[in-house]
Each structure stands twice: as structure tokens, then as C-alpha cells.
Amino acid sequence: MSTLFSKSTSLRKGVKITDQEFVDLRDFIYDKSGIYVDEKRKYLFESRFSRRLGQLGLTSFSDYVKYLKVDRGQELQRVFELVTTNETSFCRDTKQLDSFRDNLLREILDRQRKAGRLELNIWSAGCSSGEEPYTLVFLLLETLKAEIARWKISITAVDLSEEMIDKARAGIYSEYAFKTTPDEIRKRYFKPVEGGWELDPRIRKLVNFQPLNLNDALAVKRVPRSHIVFCRNVIIYFDDAMKRKVVQAFYDNLLPGGYLLVGHSESLHKISQSFRPVLNAGAIAYKKEE
């Protein structure tokens, strides 16, 4: 992206943020998204937002906060994209995914078969550019094989960033997205195109992408009830109060016997006692008891 700074030397060097401006911007972001930025990461506001202020012709962060309070549309999306890090890839955290496939997924599929309900609902919360929910499709195809045609499978994938949702729907990925991906997966489900690799449209149709703010309680309640919720490397952006709110929303969304999976560096310790931790092959999941 080209830099559209004004002629001001201070803008070219980056706009400095005062303590009060940091608090005002941080509180605004928290109110709108639940994302909490610790004071130790104040430098991130200066480094990530200075260019945007220059593009808007603003000379201070206080002016930017005022601008945000008037413009509640696309600029708010810019804020969400600047304050989060969309670090992901296909088949990421293979140990957890293998444990999920070999244990939890098979358990739920067997339970559904015995109940005579060949239905499976999965919610990927904080899906970024789509690598996680598409990876789940790969796992389902690998596990169910030809039987998948008999199943009614719904994968709902949501993210705060509309830009990421658009990218996920397009299904075109650069080499970086495959850094943790077995070669056979790329050969089976992707074809080379200008700008990267395009995912098979039949795979894309299996995932319903939509922008969603996890701080929006009404929007969250509209997500279909799930057998499995993936929310990996998302709650690290929240303070304890927001973590409790979001985790409770996941609990309410899950069907009895369902599972919540979070990132390997995340834990529900001191956040929720509603789930039962389940350890399989070194990976922890959280079960909603039947």
C-alpha cells in the first residue's frame, strides 16, 4: 500500500500517541470489539495507526478518535484489521488437529450415527482468511470419505474483519498459507492460478463465511447450535471479563456433549468452570457434559 502522508515531517516519522490518547483509543476499541490492548503494547498503536492517520490527513490520535466516533462504517473495519494479527495457515497445529480427528471427531460422528442423525455443525470463530475451516473440511473428507455424501454438514466461519472474510470466500492463497500443509493436500484440493493457489469451489461451498463481532451478543446467538467450536488464538486478544463472556457464549451455543477447542497456548483456567477438560494425545479440549 502506498503511503499518502502529508508534507509534515512529524507525520512521515510517525504520529506520537499520548497516554490519554492511548486510553481513549484503547477504550473505544474495547467497547466496539472486546479486544483489549495492554499498556505495554502502546507502541503498536503508534506503529500501526500512524500511516492511517497520515492517509486521513490527521495530525493527532485525539483527532482520530473523534473521527471514529463520527464515522462508524468502513473506518471501524480498518481499526479491527490494524489491531489484530491474521497469522494462520492450513493444517496449523497438527498435533491438536490429529488428536481432534482421531478422538473427538470420531466420538461425535459415532454418537450421531447411533442416534440416527447424520448431522454435524461446526463453528470456526475467528477464522481469519479461512485456512482453519477449510482444514476442517479436509479432515472431514479424510475421515468420512464417500460416506460424507449422506451427512448434512454445516461449518459456520466468522471473523471480525470483513476483509478476511472476503479473502476466505475467494479461496486464493499465497505460498505462505501452505507452510504447515502436507503436499498431498495442496495437490488434491488446489490448482495453481495467477497470484497463488485456488481452492476447489466444491470445498468452498461447504463453509458459510460471515463477518461477526464476538462482542455482539445478539449476533452470536444467531449462530447455529454446534457440536464443535474452534476458537484458536482468539481469546488472547481479550481481557478476563471478555474471555468469560465469549466462552460462556460458546458454552451456550454448544449442544450437549459438544467440544470447544482453543489455541495450544490458551486455557480456560480461571475463565470458566462449566466445561470438563479432556486430554487426548497431549491436546486439551473442553467438553460440555451431556
Side-chain angles (χ1 to χ4, degrees), residues 17 48 56-57 71 103 127 134 146 150 176-178 187 220 234 289:
I17 187 170
R48 294 189 179 186
L56 294 171
D71 182 330
N103 298 282
C127 68
Y134 286 140
R150 299 170 51 208
Y176 186 81
F178 299 93
K187 292 176 182 177
V220 168
V234 175
E289 297 287 20

Side-chain angles (χ1 to χ4, degrees), residues 19-221:
D19 290 343
Q20 186 59 52
E21 287 172 336
F22 170 77
V23 170
D24 291 343
L25 182 54
R26 179 193 66 187
D27 291 351
F28 179 87
I29 292 170
Y30 181 77
D31 180 62
K32 298 302 178 185
S33 67
I35 294 173
Y36 181 79
V37 181
D38 188 90
E39 291 182 6
K40 295 178 182 178
R41 298 171 71 83
K42 174 182 170 183
Y43 70 93
L44 285 178
F45 276 9
E46 287 186 343
S47 62
R48 294 189 179 186
F49 283 93
S50 284
R51 174 177 292 187
R52 186 58 188 153
L53 266 64
Q55 292 171 340
L56 294 171
L58 302 176
T59 58
S60 71
F61 277 88
S62 59
D63 287 341
Y64 186 58
V65 173
K66 293 175 185 176
Y67 180 81
L68 285 170
K69 290 179 178 179
V70 174
D71 182 330
R72 299 180 180 274
Q74 292 186 348
E75 191 59 33
L76 188 57
Q77 276 296 315
R78 289 285 191 120
V79 170
F80 294 157
E81 287 151 13
L82 286 169
V83 81
T84 56
T85 301
N86 294 292
E87 170 67 27
T88 186
S89 58
F90 291 104
C91 306
R92 187 181 184 191
D93 298 331
T94 54
K95 184 176 182 180
Q96 184 186 40
L97 290 173
D98 289 346
S99 176
F100 163 72
R101 178 198 59 209
D102 297 338
N103 298 282
L104 310 184
L105 180 58
R106 295 186 187 279
E107 173 194 319
I108 292 175
L109 293 176
D110 287 344
R111 187 193 311 154
Q112 292 297 95
R113 290 189 188 100
K114 291 177 181 177
R117 294 190 297 268
L118 301 187
E119 300 179 356
L120 181 68
N121 292 343
I122 300 177
W123 179 12
S124 173
C127 68
S128 189
S129 45
E131 286 89 336
E132 176 180 273
Y134 286 140
T135 296
L136 297 179
V137 176
F138 303 155
L139 291 179
L140 286 168
L141 289 168
E142 176 184 328
T143 302
L144 290 170
K145 298 182 171 60
E147 186 192 354
I148 198 169
R150 299 170 51 208
W151 283 74
K152 180 181 178 181
I153 294 174
S154 171
I155 300 179
T156 301
V158 306
D159 197 86
L160 184 63
S161 169
E162 293 182 7
E163 180 181 356
M164 288 297 104
I165 292 296
D166 288 342
K167 182 176 179 180
R169 287 171 176 159
I172 298 177
Y173 296 91
S174 67
E175 196 71 26
Y176 186 81
F178 299 93
K179 63 179 183 176
T180 55
T181 310
D183 289 340
E184 59 267 24
I185 293 293
R186 177 156 43 175
K187 292 176 182 177
R188 191 176 304 154
Y189 300 117
F190 295 83
K191 67 176 182 180
V193 296
E194 183 178 354
W197 295 80
E198 182 179 14
L199 180 62
D200 188 326
R202 292 172 295 181
I203 302 294
R204 302 208 304 267
K205 289 179 180 178
L206 295 175
V207 183
N208 174 29
F209 288 100
Q210 55 186 274
L212 186 142
N213 188 338
L214 292 176
N215 198 33
D216 186 339
L218 291 177
V220 168
K221 287 181 180 179

